[in-house]
Amino acid sequence: MTLNLVKLCVGVESVEDLQASIDFGLADKKSRGLEEIQYHTTRMVPKRLDELLDGGSLYWVIKGNIQVRQYIVEIRPFTDKADISRCRIVLEPRLVLTQWQPRRAFQGWRYLTVKDAPADLSEANAGLLKLPPELRRELADLGLL
C-alpha cells in the first residue's frame, strides 16, 4: 500500500522558489561533476520504506499549505562525518502541483496516507497557476482555494 510523507519547506516562499532552488542545486552538482540527483536530507530514517517506495511522494508545506509534491525515488540511509545517522530522500525533480491543504507547523516529517493527501491540480484548475503566488496565498487564506 502506498504511503507518502509531508514536510515543511522551510525558507521557501512559493512553488516557483522551490523549483528555482531545485534547478540551482542540480546545475551546481552538474558543474562540480557530482551525481545529478535531487534529495532532501533528514535526521530520521522512515521505518515504512516499502510503502514509501511503492509510488509515494513527499508533499511540501509552503507558507502553511500543502501546495506541491515530488515522487520519492529512493531512500538512502547514511552516516555523516560527525557519525550521526541520517537519510537522503531522493526525489524526482519534477514538481506536481496539488490542491492546497492547510497544515500547522511541525518538526521533522509525518506520514500521509493516500486518502488524506490533497488531489493533484488538474487541467480544469490550470487557471490557478496563472495567478501570482501572493494572490493564490491570499485566496487560500480566505478559504477560496
Side-chain angles (χ1 to χ4, degrees), residues 4-8 40 42-48 52 58 87 89 106-111:
N4 304 296
L5 294 175
V6 61
K7 180 138 182 46
L8 297 181
H40 179 74
T42 68
R43 172 77 165 86
M44 303 300 293
V45 178
K47 305 283 186 250
R48 300 170 70 179
L52 292 170
L58 176 59
C87 173
I89 302 171
F106 59 91
Q107 291 186 342
W109 47 260
R110 302 285 184 267
Y111 290 115

Side-chain angles (χ1 to χ4, degrees), residues 26 38-39 57 63-64 67 70 82 88-89 102 105 114 116-117 128-129 132 136:
L26 291 173
Q38 197 247 326
Y39 59 84
S57 292
K63 292 296 188 182
Q67 297 184 34
Q70 290 179 272
R88 284 191 181 111
I89 302 171
V114 171
D116 292 330
L128 291 174
L129 306 179
R136 287 194 312 250

